[in-house]
Amino acid sequence: MATGVKPRVKVPKTASAGEAITIKTLISHPMESGQRKDSNGNIIPRSIINRFTCDFNGQNVIDVTLEPAISTNPYFEFEALVPEAGEFKFTWYDDDGSVYEEAKPIAIG
């Protein structure tokens, strides 16, 4: 597990039924490509977030495959329709098998 990895998510607390909302996510992660060397000349092992998903009430909203060229601390901003009150679940998958999750509820108002 990469050290200091922390997801941050911004979702409105309420929306109208059928409204498109903007969701913003950021995960603190070094995103090592496996091509750099440390001060001793040793290759730093590859460690990247290789997939990001977002589901709403169990239905997939977005599913992204990431490659080594993605920069440190990957940021995603996207729109999602809110048909009803529920919960957005965000999942980041790391090369080392670690999985980072965050969930945010949204109400209809």
Side-chain angles (χ1 to χ4, degrees), residues 5-100:
V5 175
K6 178 165 176 36
R8 287 183 276 169
V9 176
K10 186 174 181 182
V11 174
K13 292 186 187 325
T14 62
S16 300
E19 181 181 354
I21 62 163
T22 299
I23 296 174
K24 300 176 182 180
T25 73
L26 175 78
I27 187 162
S28 300
H29 192 282
M31 298 294 283
E32 279 296 343
S33 68
Q35 298 178 20
R36 292 184 332 125
K37 294 183 180 180
D38 63 17
S39 57
N40 296 325
N42 301 313
I43 291 181
I44 300 170
R46 176 179 143 146
S47 173
I48 68 166
I49 297 291
N50 57 47
R51 184 173 175 217
F52 166 72
T53 63
C54 172
D55 296 331
F56 180 70
N57 289 347
Q59 294 287 102
N60 184 256
V61 174
I62 191 170
D63 190 333
V64 181
T65 300
L66 288 82
E67 302 294 336
I70 300 292
S71 68
T72 300
N73 305 328
Y75 170 82
F76 292 100
E77 181 176 326
F78 56 97
E79 289 192 350
L81 287 176
V82 181
E84 61 196 11
E87 183 177 77
F88 284 97
K89 180 182 175 191
F90 306 90
T91 310
W92 294 262
Y93 300 87
D94 200 315
D95 274 349
D96 67 8
S98 298
V99 176
Y100 309 98

